[in-house]
Amino acid sequence: MSIELQRCARGRLRHSYPVAAHDIEVRVLAVNSAEELTAILRAVVVGIREAEPSCRKIVYAVGWNEAQHGTISALATVAAAEAANFRYVVDVDIADAELGLLVAEPAWVTAVDIDLGDVLGS
């Protein structure tokens, strides 16, 4: 098993969505099961959040046209990532693949202030 981390702004995803400077793509290579992938992704998210507190998105890309890691289907891979608290966001095309992007975001990014009585300009 190996894990690759790359800033999205410098990697293969740089033109695929509105990338922020601190977004990080996680690539996990050679896992044996969806359960192992879930455990790895959970641990990686914790490590990235500790090392890079300004990271808004941790991105995990699933290739739709091939089995993941040799044995895990794309849908099982998505389910494994979702079990690690990633959420599916969008499909993108890059030069050599069609990918589904899943993200893990910290609470400070996803928090919403639902004060509907406070309208700007009123």
Side-chain angles (χ1 to χ4, degrees):
M1 182 250 333
S2 75
I3 300 167
E4 295 176 2
L5 303 177
Q6 183 170 45
R7 294 236 184 249
C8 295
R10 285 185 248 154
R12 65 184 185 151
L13 301 178
R14 68 183 165 272
H15 300 300
S16 62
Y17 75 97
V19 174
H22 297 283
D23 293 358
I24 297 174
E25 180 184 8
V26 176
R27 296 178 85 178
V28 181
L29 308 173
V31 295
N32 297 313
S33 68
E35 294 78 14
E36 181 182 10
L37 178 59
T38 297
I40 291 166
L41 289 174
R42 283 183 179 151
V44 168
V45 166
V46 169
I48 290 172
R49 288 196 177 142
E50 288 176 3
E52 185 72 41
S54 58
C55 178
R56 297 179 58 88
K57 289 181 184 70
I58 301 169
V59 181
Y60 184 72
V62 176
W64 292 126
N65 293 333
E66 71 267 358
Q68 309 299 297
H69 315 293
T71 59
I72 306 171
S73 73
L75 291 178
T77 302
V78 169
E82 288 175 338
N85 297 315
F86 281 73
R87 68 180 173 82
Y88 170 80
V89 177
V90 68
D91 288 331
V92 299
D93 290 328
I94 61 173
D96 60 349
E98 294 176 24
L99 304 172
L101 301 185
L102 293 98
V103 299
E105 298 168 306
W108 62 268
V109 171
T110 59
V112 178
D113 182 12
I114 305 290
D115 187 0
L116 298 178
D118 186 19
V119 178
L120 291 174
S122 60

